[in-house]
Amino acid sequence: MIEPTVTMPPKRVRRAPVRRPEPPRGTVRFPVLAVVFVCAACGLVYELELVALASYLIGDSVTQASVVLSVMVFAMGVGSLLAKALRCRAAVGFGLVEAGLALIGGTSALVLYAAFAWFGESRYVLVAFSLAIGVLIGAEIPLLMSLIQRGDRPGRSGRKASLGKQDDAAGTVADLFAADYVGALVGGLAFPFLLLPWLGQLTGALVTGAVNAVAGGGLVLWVFRRDLTARSRALLVAVNVAVLAVLATATVLVDDFEQAARRAVYGERVRVAVHTELQEIVVTGGREDPPDLFLDGRLRVAGQDEYRYHEALVHPAMNGAHARVLIVGGGDGMAAREALRYPTVRSVTVVELDPGVVRLARTDPALARLNGQAFRDPRVRVVHADAFHWLRGATDRLQERYDVVISDLPDPGITPSAKLYAQEFYGLVAQVLTPSGRFAVHAGSVTDRPHTYWTVDTTLHAAGFATRPYSASGRTPGFAAGPDRADSAGGTGRGPGDWGFLLAVPGSRPPALGLAPDAPRLRSLGPDTLEAAARRAELGRGAEPPPSTLVHPRYGS
């Protein structure tokens, strides 16, 4: 008997999981390296923007650069360690890091300027942004290493495979750092030559943040979209759209913000505000009132009593031969105005670095009225150059030396001007001065910054000059960092202060402090005034500080 065949139901066969093919190596590596390049450029722009804005708002560029760079490098190390927790979800982690970096870096200039304008203090904000940006930049490379290795093809088996993976990891690190360094080079060059002159600090930072967000978000959402869950993909899209919306809104409103911040700093009577390639120039005051001139937030000319400063600076130096006068700085034209009051003056040469200052002093009605149309006088010649470099070649070019040299420069505590208060600079002045010539130097406040003032004095001695200290009272010209909202009286910048000057001549015999026989009628100076000014300055003399040189500047902030 044949038993019927029993047909058993087939067992369910579990299919082997289908492994999605890895993308070709180049399709991952090259986009990642391109994004590394862009992110490195953006990161360096954030650093330079913080350094530049902090130098403008706080002053002393060396200190601010040291603070920003040291804090940021430390934070980068912290960020690298924190990135370990995100390596298992490198794609979404990198996307969020770049979105955060774009938002924080892009708005850093805006927030820093706002803190300064409305609260008057931005040091803590500067450190906070340096720390946050550094942490996010430090997290980039570890996450990118994880991402780029996922696109690499597996190596061969055995010992050769192990060696291949080691070589490939070393090559990956080399590629990442090469792209990072080249991107940093491009960002470092783009900031001063493209972003700053074309867009300014605020808009430049916002545009950089937008580029950062698009590059980071695009890499993750396109190249590594397979590594994202639906929820993480939606999160990244929402975050990046929100960041770009914030940056775009801030870019649209940046002009209104800047005007409001400028009113908070300078008051309601801002007449002119321009950005040159070197600095911000602001003129305040009513149409009938004497104007105030601010350069990079520092009050350079106080229209109500600038005559006290410029008369004290110029006229004691004119007590002697004064046919040929050299003014270092003085782009506002006020010192030239005082020198031109002598009919025996044949020529006045003004060496001013920023053409924008001279242009405004020549064309703005209020400033031109205040400087007596000095730049329209045929005896005046303006040279736009760095005074130090110009003087180095002046000895060979000059057919006659100068009878009078006047240094009308910002306070030596401001780092960019420190070299113009160095022993080497005074040595160059001695070469273009006649043997009987006279050299007048603005040296900062005698009472507020005695160390700085007397350092200028000893530096002149080291360069072969004998000096006569003196001072003049009046509204403080705001050479300390930041707008002139605080002075020696602790007030609003309208209180009394003093300007310190030094009259120097070649040799060892101090010059007599007096006025020339043909001196014009002055509003603030006379023989008795000068004697009192000399006595007042001498009261602050203490131990002689060492001189300041180019390689060892002695001036503090």
PDB file of all heavy atoms in Angstrom, residues 99-127:
ATOM      1  N   ALA A  99      25.241  74.355  12.498  1.00  0.00           N
ATOM      2  CA  ALA A  99      24.136  75.306  12.653  1.00  0.00           C
ATOM      3  C   ALA A  99      24.387  76.226  13.852  1.00  0.00           C
ATOM      4  O   ALA A  99      24.177  77.446  13.777  1.00  0.00           O
ATOM      5  CB  ALA A  99      22.819  74.559  12.811  1.00  0.00           C
ATOM      6  N   GLY A 100      24.847  75.643  14.973  1.00  0.00           N
ATOM      7  CA  GLY A 100      25.161  76.465  16.139  1.00  0.00           C
ATOM      8  C   GLY A 100      26.305  77.424  15.883  1.00  0.00           C
ATOM      9  O   GLY A 100      26.278  78.587  16.305  1.00  0.00           O
ATOM     10  N   LEU A 101      27.329  76.945  15.163  1.00  0.00           N
ATOM     11  CA  LEU A 101      28.464  77.798  14.848  1.00  0.00           C
ATOM     12  C   LEU A 101      28.050  78.941  13.932  1.00  0.00           C
ATOM     13  O   LEU A 101      28.499  80.087  14.100  1.00  0.00           O
ATOM     14  CB  LEU A 101      29.570  76.967  14.195  1.00  0.00           C
ATOM     15  CG  LEU A 101      30.885  77.684  13.874  1.00  0.00           C
ATOM     16  CD1 LEU A 101      31.486  78.282  15.134  1.00  0.00           C
ATOM     17  CD2 LEU A 101      31.866  76.717  13.224  1.00  0.00           C
ATOM     18  N   ALA A 102      27.197  78.638  12.957  1.00  0.00           N
ATOM     19  CA  ALA A 102      26.723  79.687  12.051  1.00  0.00           C
ATOM     20  C   ALA A 102      25.939  80.748  12.809  1.00  0.00           C
ATOM     21  O   ALA A 102      26.101  81.954  12.567  1.00  0.00           O
ATOM     22  CB  ALA A 102      25.864  79.067  10.954  1.00  0.00           C
ATOM     23  N   LEU A 103      25.088  80.325  13.738  1.00  0.00           N
ATOM     24  CA  LEU A 103      24.272  81.275  14.491  1.00  0.00           C
ATOM     25  C   LEU A 103      25.132  82.107  15.442  1.00  0.00           C
ATOM     26  O   LEU A 103      25.029  83.346  15.470  1.00  0.00           O
ATOM     27  CB  LEU A 103      23.195  80.529  15.270  1.00  0.00           C
ATOM     28  CG  LEU A 103      22.258  81.390  16.119  1.00  0.00           C
ATOM     29  CD1 LEU A 103      21.449  82.329  15.237  1.00  0.00           C
ATOM     30  CD2 LEU A 103      21.350  80.524  16.983  1.00  0.00           C
ATOM     31  N   ILE A 104      25.981  81.445  16.214  1.00  0.00           N
ATOM     32  CA  ILE A 104      26.791  82.166  17.211  1.00  0.00           C
ATOM     33  C   ILE A 104      27.849  83.021  16.531  1.00  0.00           C
ATOM     34  O   ILE A 104      28.034  84.192  16.868  1.00  0.00           O
ATOM     35  CB  ILE A 104      27.423  81.159  18.191  1.00  0.00           C
ATOM     36  CG1 ILE A 104      26.332  80.454  19.002  1.00  0.00           C
ATOM     37  CG2 ILE A 104      28.395  81.863  19.126  1.00  0.00           C
ATOM     38  CD1 ILE A 104      26.847  79.353  19.894  1.00  0.00           C
ATOM     39  N   GLY A 105      28.563  82.435  15.567  1.00  0.00           N
ATOM     40  CA  GLY A 105      29.589  83.210  14.875  1.00  0.00           C
ATOM     41  C   GLY A 105      29.007  84.335  14.046  1.00  0.00           C
ATOM     42  O   GLY A 105      29.547  85.448  14.019  1.00  0.00           O
ATOM     43  N   GLY A 106      27.878  84.066  13.376  1.00  0.00           N
ATOM     44  CA  GLY A 106      27.296  85.088  12.530  1.00  0.00           C
ATOM     45  C   GLY A 106      26.758  86.280  13.306  1.00  0.00           C
ATOM     46  O   GLY A 106      26.816  87.425  12.832  1.00  0.00           O
ATOM     47  N   THR A 107      26.229  86.053  14.487  1.00  0.00           N
ATOM     48  CA  THR A 107      25.661  87.144  15.284  1.00  0.00           C
ATOM     49  C   THR A 107      26.631  87.700  16.320  1.00  0.00           C
ATOM     50  O   THR A 107      26.265  88.609  17.067  1.00  0.00           O
ATOM     51  CB  THR A 107      24.390  86.663  16.010  1.00  0.00           C
ATOM     52  OG1 THR A 107      24.722  85.556  16.871  1.00  0.00           O
ATOM     53  CG2 THR A 107      23.324  86.222  15.018  1.00  0.00           C
ATOM     54  N   SER A 108      27.851  87.182  16.376  1.00  0.00           N
ATOM     55  CA  SER A 108      28.780  87.600  17.432  1.00  0.00           C
ATOM     56  C   SER A 108      29.102  89.088  17.360  1.00  0.00           C
ATOM     57  O   SER A 108      29.121  89.779  18.385  1.00  0.00           O
ATOM     58  CB  SER A 108      30.062  86.770  17.350  1.00  0.00           C
ATOM     59  OG  SER A 108      30.671  86.901  16.069  1.00  0.00           O
ATOM     60  N   ALA A 109      29.355  89.598  16.152  1.00  0.00           N
ATOM     61  CA  ALA A 109      29.679  91.019  16.030  1.00  0.00           C
ATOM     62  C   ALA A 109      28.504  91.886  16.443  1.00  0.00           C
ATOM     63  O   ALA A 109      28.667  92.914  17.117  1.00  0.00           O
ATOM     64  CB  ALA A 109      30.095  91.331  14.595  1.00  0.00           C
ATOM     65  N   LEU A 110      27.306  91.459  16.062  1.00  0.00           N
ATOM     66  CA  LEU A 110      26.106  92.213  16.390  1.00  0.00           C
ATOM     67  C   LEU A 110      25.906  92.301  17.904  1.00  0.00           C
ATOM     68  O   LEU A 110      25.654  93.375  18.463  1.00  0.00           O
ATOM     69  CB  LEU A 110      24.903  91.541  15.735  1.00  0.00           C
ATOM     70  CG  LEU A 110      23.734  92.401  15.281  1.00  0.00           C
ATOM     71  CD1 LEU A 110      24.152  93.340  14.166  1.00  0.00           C
ATOM     72  CD2 LEU A 110      22.590  91.509  14.797  1.00  0.00           C
ATOM     73  N   VAL A 111      26.032  91.168  18.575  1.00  0.00           N
ATOM     74  CA  VAL A 111      25.809  91.131  20.024  1.00  0.00           C
ATOM     75  C   VAL A 111      26.930  91.869  20.761  1.00  0.00           C
ATOM     76  O   VAL A 111      26.683  92.583  21.747  1.00  0.00           O
ATOM     77  CB  VAL A 111      25.698  89.677  20.509  1.00  0.00           C
ATOM     78  CG1 VAL A 111      25.543  89.625  22.018  1.00  0.00           C
ATOM     79  CG2 VAL A 111      24.521  88.980  19.833  1.00  0.00           C
ATOM     80  N   LEU A 112      28.155  91.712  20.301  1.00  0.00           N
ATOM     81  CA  LEU A 112      29.282  92.389  20.929  1.00  0.00           C
ATOM     82  C   LEU A 112      29.118  93.907  20.839  1.00  0.00           C
ATOM     83  O   LEU A 112      29.342  94.639  21.809  1.00  0.00           O
ATOM     84  CB  LEU A 112      30.585  91.952  20.262  1.00  0.00           C
ATOM     85  CG  LEU A 112      31.892  92.328  20.955  1.00  0.00           C
ATOM     86  CD1 LEU A 112      32.004  91.654  22.309  1.00  0.00           C
ATOM     87  CD2 LEU A 112      33.078  91.947  20.081  1.00  0.00           C
ATOM     88  N   TYR A 113      28.728  94.390  19.664  1.00  0.00           N
ATOM     89  CA  TYR A 113      28.524  95.830  19.482  1.00  0.00           C
ATOM     90  C   TYR A 113      27.342  96.323  20.312  1.00  0.00           C
ATOM     91  O   TYR A 113      27.372  97.423  20.886  1.00  0.00           O
ATOM     92  CB  TYR A 113      28.317  96.128  18.004  1.00  0.00           C
ATOM     93  CG  TYR A 113      28.395  97.596  17.645  1.00  0.00           C
ATOM     94  CD1 TYR A 113      29.228  98.467  18.345  1.00  0.00           C
ATOM     95  CD2 TYR A 113      27.647  98.119  16.605  1.00  0.00           C
ATOM     96  CE1 TYR A 113      29.309  99.809  18.016  1.00  0.00           C
ATOM     97  CE2 TYR A 113      27.718  99.466  16.265  1.00  0.00           C
ATOM     98  CZ  TYR A 113      28.553 100.299  16.973  1.00  0.00           C
ATOM     99  OH  TYR A 113      28.619 101.630  16.648  1.00  0.00           O
ATOM    100  N   ALA A 114      26.279  95.512  20.394  1.00  0.00           N
ATOM    101  CA  ALA A 114      25.107  95.896  21.197  1.00  0.00           C
ATOM    102  C   ALA A 114      25.472  96.001  22.677  1.00  0.00           C
ATOM    103  O   ALA A 114      25.055  96.942  23.368  1.00  0.00           O
ATOM    104  CB  ALA A 114      23.989  94.885  20.997  1.00  0.00           C
ATOM    105  N   ALA A 115      26.239  95.038  23.183  1.00  0.00           N
ATOM    106  CA  ALA A 115      26.649  95.084  24.591  1.00  0.00           C
ATOM    107  C   ALA A 115      27.476  96.327  24.875  1.00  0.00           C
ATOM    108  O   ALA A 115      27.333  96.969  25.924  1.00  0.00           O
ATOM    109  CB  ALA A 115      27.443  93.824  24.935  1.00  0.00           C
ATOM    110  N   PHE A 116      28.338  96.680  23.946  1.00  0.00           N
ATOM    111  CA  PHE A 116      29.166  97.864  24.123  1.00  0.00           C
ATOM    112  C   PHE A 116      28.329  99.143  24.067  1.00  0.00           C
ATOM    113  O   PHE A 116      28.502 100.053  24.878  1.00  0.00           O
ATOM    114  CB  PHE A 116      30.239  97.903  23.042  1.00  0.00           C
ATOM    115  CG  PHE A 116      31.021  99.172  23.009  1.00  0.00           C
ATOM    116  CD1 PHE A 116      32.006  99.419  23.940  1.00  0.00           C
ATOM    117  CD2 PHE A 116      30.767 100.130  22.046  1.00  0.00           C
ATOM    118  CE1 PHE A 116      32.725 100.599  23.922  1.00  0.00           C
ATOM    119  CE2 PHE A 116      31.479 101.310  22.014  1.00  0.00           C
ATOM    120  CZ  PHE A 116      32.459 101.544  22.954  1.00  0.00           C
ATOM    121  N   ALA A 117      27.405  99.206  23.097  1.00  0.00           N
ATOM    122  CA  ALA A 117      26.648 100.439  22.891  1.00  0.00           C
ATOM    123  C   ALA A 117      25.679 100.711  24.029  1.00  0.00           C
ATOM    124  O   ALA A 117      25.564 101.856  24.489  1.00  0.00           O
ATOM    125  CB  ALA A 117      25.902 100.357  21.563  1.00  0.00           C
ATOM    126  N   TRP A 118      24.985  99.681  24.495  1.00  0.00           N
ATOM    127  CA  TRP A 118      23.931  99.915  25.474  1.00  0.00           C
ATOM    128  C   TRP A 118      24.358  99.669  26.920  1.00  0.00           C
ATOM    129  O   TRP A 118      23.768 100.216  27.833  1.00  0.00           O
ATOM    130  CB  TRP A 118      22.708  99.053  25.146  1.00  0.00           C
ATOM    131  CG  TRP A 118      21.865  99.697  24.087  1.00  0.00           C
ATOM    132  CD1 TRP A 118      20.977 100.721  24.255  1.00  0.00           C
ATOM    133  CD2 TRP A 118      21.846  99.382  22.694  1.00  0.00           C
ATOM    134  NE1 TRP A 118      20.406 101.061  23.051  1.00  0.00           N
ATOM    135  CE2 TRP A 118      20.916 100.251  22.071  1.00  0.00           C
ATOM    136  CE3 TRP A 118      22.514  98.444  21.902  1.00  0.00           C
ATOM    137  CZ2 TRP A 118      20.653 100.220  20.706  1.00  0.00           C
ATOM    138  CZ3 TRP A 118      22.250  98.412  20.547  1.00  0.00           C
ATOM    139  CH2 TRP A 118      21.328  99.293  19.960  1.00  0.00           C
ATOM    140  N   PHE A 119      25.382  98.841  27.118  1.00  0.00           N
ATOM    141  CA  PHE A 119      25.815  98.540  28.486  1.00  0.00           C
ATOM    142  C   PHE A 119      27.215  99.064  28.791  1.00  0.00           C
ATOM    143  O   PHE A 119      27.629  99.067  29.943  1.00  0.00           O
ATOM    144  CB  PHE A 119      25.763  97.034  28.740  1.00  0.00           C
ATOM    145  CG  PHE A 119      24.391  96.441  28.557  1.00  0.00           C
ATOM    146  CD1 PHE A 119      24.097  95.697  27.442  1.00  0.00           C
ATOM    147  CD2 PHE A 119      23.394  96.663  29.497  1.00  0.00           C
ATOM    148  CE1 PHE A 119      22.832  95.159  27.249  1.00  0.00           C
ATOM    149  CE2 PHE A 119      22.132  96.135  29.320  1.00  0.00           C
ATOM    150  CZ  PHE A 119      21.841  95.382  28.192  1.00  0.00           C
ATOM    151  N   GLY A 120      27.943  99.469  27.756  1.00  0.00           N
ATOM    152  CA  GLY A 120      29.260 100.048  27.964  1.00  0.00           C
ATOM    153  C   GLY A 120      30.333  99.061  28.337  1.00  0.00           C
ATOM    154  O   GLY A 120      31.454  99.443  28.657  1.00  0.00           O
ATOM    155  N   GLU A 121      30.069  97.780  28.292  1.00  0.00           N
ATOM    156  CA  GLU A 121      31.045  96.757  28.671  1.00  0.00           C
ATOM    157  C   GLU A 121      30.878  95.555  27.753  1.00  0.00           C
ATOM    158  O   GLU A 121      29.783  95.027  27.611  1.00  0.00           O
ATOM    159  CB  GLU A 121      30.848  96.332  30.121  1.00  0.00           C
ATOM    160  CG  GLU A 121      31.785  95.221  30.579  1.00  0.00           C
ATOM    161  CD  GLU A 121      33.239  95.616  30.426  1.00  0.00           C
ATOM    162  OE1 GLU A 121      33.668  96.602  31.041  1.00  0.00           O
ATOM    163  OE2 GLU A 121      33.954  94.912  29.665  1.00  0.00           O
ATOM    164  N   SER A 122      31.953  95.135  27.122  1.00  0.00           N
ATOM    165  CA  SER A 122      31.867  94.010  26.192  1.00  0.00           C
ATOM    166  C   SER A 122      32.963  92.973  26.404  1.00  0.00           C
ATOM    167  O   SER A 122      33.070  92.037  25.626  1.00  0.00           O
ATOM    168  CB  SER A 122      31.925  94.525  24.747  1.00  0.00           C
ATOM    169  OG  SER A 122      33.049  95.355  24.557  1.00  0.00           O
ATOM    170  N   ARG A 123      33.764  93.115  27.450  1.00  0.00           N
ATOM    171  CA  ARG A 123      34.853  92.158  27.661  1.00  0.00           C
ATOM    172  C   ARG A 123      34.321  90.749  27.949  1.00  0.00           C
ATOM    173  O   ARG A 123      34.828  89.772  27.414  1.00  0.00           O
ATOM    174  CB  ARG A 123      35.738  92.629  28.810  1.00  0.00           C
ATOM    175  CG  ARG A 123      36.587  93.837  28.474  1.00  0.00           C
ATOM    176  CD  ARG A 123      37.416  94.286  29.671  1.00  0.00           C
ATOM    177  NE  ARG A 123      38.326  95.368  29.328  1.00  0.00           N
ATOM    178  CZ  ARG A 123      37.982  96.652  29.336  1.00  0.00           C
ATOM    179  NH1 ARG A 123      36.757  97.004  29.677  1.00  0.00           N
ATOM    180  NH2 ARG A 123      38.851  97.591  29.017  1.00  0.00           N
ATOM    181  N   TYR A 124      33.310  90.663  28.812  1.00  0.00           N
ATOM    182  CA  TYR A 124      32.782  89.350  29.157  1.00  0.00           C
ATOM    183  C   TYR A 124      32.060  88.720  27.968  1.00  0.00           C
ATOM    184  O   TYR A 124      32.111  87.506  27.775  1.00  0.00           O
ATOM    185  CB  TYR A 124      31.836  89.473  30.356  1.00  0.00           C
ATOM    186  CG  TYR A 124      32.514  90.010  31.593  1.00  0.00           C
ATOM    187  CD1 TYR A 124      32.172  91.253  32.107  1.00  0.00           C
ATOM    188  CD2 TYR A 124      33.514  89.283  32.241  1.00  0.00           C
ATOM    189  CE1 TYR A 124      32.804  91.762  33.230  1.00  0.00           C
ATOM    190  CE2 TYR A 124      34.142  89.787  33.361  1.00  0.00           C
ATOM    191  CZ  TYR A 124      33.788  91.025  33.857  1.00  0.00           C
ATOM    192  OH  TYR A 124      34.425  91.530  34.964  1.00  0.00           O
ATOM    193  N   VAL A 125      31.395  89.537  27.182  1.00  0.00           N
ATOM    194  CA  VAL A 125      30.734  89.029  25.981  1.00  0.00           C
ATOM    195  C   VAL A 125      31.787  88.506  25.002  1.00  0.00           C
ATOM    196  O   VAL A 125      31.595  87.474  24.355  1.00  0.00           O
ATOM    197  CB  VAL A 125      29.883  90.126  25.329  1.00  0.00           C
ATOM    198  CG1 VAL A 125      29.212  89.630  24.059  1.00  0.00           C
ATOM    199  CG2 VAL A 125      28.832  90.625  26.310  1.00  0.00           C
ATOM    200  N   LEU A 126      32.903  89.209  24.893  1.00  0.00           N
ATOM    201  CA  LEU A 126      33.986  88.778  24.009  1.00  0.00           C
ATOM    202  C   LEU A 126      34.513  87.410  24.422  1.00  0.00           C
ATOM    203  O   LEU A 126      34.694  86.517  23.577  1.00  0.00           O
ATOM    204  CB  LEU A 126      35.112  89.812  24.047  1.00  0.00           C
ATOM    205  CG  LEU A 126      36.389  89.450  23.289  1.00  0.00           C
ATOM    206  CD1 LEU A 126      36.133  89.432  21.783  1.00  0.00           C
ATOM    207  CD2 LEU A 126      37.505  90.434  23.634  1.00  0.00           C
ATOM    208  N   VAL A 127      34.752  87.214  25.713  1.00  0.00           N
ATOM    209  CA  VAL A 127      35.259  85.931  26.193  1.00  0.00           C
ATOM    210  C   VAL A 127      34.224  84.830  25.970  1.00  0.00           C
ATOM    211  O   VAL A 127      34.570  83.708  25.564  1.00  0.00           O
ATOM    212  CB  VAL A 127      35.646  86.042  27.685  1.00  0.00           C
ATOM    213  CG1 VAL A 127      36.007  84.672  28.247  1.00  0.00           C
ATOM    214  CG2 VAL A 127      36.814  87.003  27.864  1.00  0.00           C
TER     215      VAL A 127
END
